[in-house]
Amino acid sequence: MNALTVSVVLLWAAVLALGVMLWALSRQVGILYERVAPMGALVTDAGPPVGAPSPSFALTSLQSEPVSVGGVQGGPTLLFFLSPTCPVCKKLIPVLKALLRDEGRRLRIVLASDGEAPAHQRFVREYGLDAMPYVLSTELGMSYRVSRLPYAVLLDAQGVVAAKGLVNSREQFDSLLNAHEMGVPTIQQYLSGTSAAA
């Protein structure tokens, strides 16, 4: 047996060992994928519960347009509570713009905050948020018991709270929309098998 034959045998043994390791690794990834469920928006117990009518508000946006929240609307409304000083909120602005582009025909997005109008107007100009109504209302945030940002509330066309929770990614926005489409309060309840129709 010469050196060339030995090296070829060793190389084939290494290839077979790597193939077995790749198969084992892909199997483990599949098992982890099944065990780790998608993380939906973090739902809090504060504010109107999912399935309850939303309080109604007649507000005026920073763009001087009337904005109604709650009650019967032409379609679902996504209320997104944010602040110009919240870094996670700023990170989600491209996600909101993508949602508006992708879902704008069937979903109204309303940005909500409180504080002094000039700071929010600068924020709207700096981040190009003119396409979405932006309202300042302390009462709106208090009625939903918003204590941490960013927070989103999805209302159906009848003004009923369809989904809500803390959000920090596109997937968590999508979890609110998916929960509404499936008629469940949260994605977590759906995955655990304890969901009740909203």
Side-chain angles (χ1 to χ4, degrees):
M1 215 173 184
N2 63 20
L4 182 62
T5 307
V6 171
S7 64
V8 169
V9 169
L10 290 175
L11 284 174
W12 273 107
V15 167
L16 290 174
L18 287 173
V20 169
M21 289 171 51
L22 181 63
W23 173 80
L25 182 62
S26 63
R27 185 172 181 277
Q28 288 300 315
V29 168
I31 290 170
L32 285 174
Y33 182 76
E34 288 178 2
R35 288 184 185 168
V36 178
M39 178 65 180
L42 177 62
V43 179
T44 61
D45 291 336
V50 173
S54 167
S56 294
F57 292 89
L59 305 167
T60 302
S61 72
L62 287 177
Q63 298 92 338
S64 301
E65 298 171 357
V67 177
S68 61
V69 174
V72 177
Q73 302 290 326
T77 299
L78 178 68
L79 284 174
F80 182 66
F81 292 89
L82 75 166
S83 169
T85 59
C86 168
V88 178
C89 301
K90 292 176 183 177
K91 180 187 88 166
L92 291 175
I93 288 173
V95 173
L96 287 168
K97 289 179 177 179
L99 269 176
L100 182 65
R101 183 186 66 242
D102 298 342
E103 306 286 340
R105 291 183 184 266
R106 64 179 197 95
L107 177 70
R108 180 176 71 141
I109 299 174
V110 176
L111 307 177
S113 192
D114 61 4
E116 299 297 321
H120 291 278
Q121 289 168 337
R122 282 192 302 274
F123 182 62
V124 167
R125 280 193 305 274
E126 182 180 349
Y127 286 92
L129 300 174
D130 293 321
M132 294 172 266
Y134 194 118
V135 297
L136 297 179
S137 172
T138 303
E139 295 79 19
L140 185 63
M142 290 175 62
S143 69
Y144 289 104
R145 305 279 198 303
V146 176
S147 59
R148 294 188 343 203
L149 297 175
Y151 193 83
V153 178
L154 180 65
L155 306 176
D156 69 12
Q158 304 305 311
V160 173
V161 177
K164 63 180 183 172
L166 291 167
V167 292
N168 62 15
S169 67
R170 172 69 190 243
E171 291 76 20
Q172 291 178 337
F173 275 116
D174 288 341
S175 76
L176 295 176
L177 299 173
N178 292 338
H180 171 58
E181 288 172 359
M182 292 186 299
V184 296
T186 66
I187 290 294
Q188 293 90 340
Q189 289 180 348
Y190 173 77
L191 292 172
S192 69
T194 61
S195 62

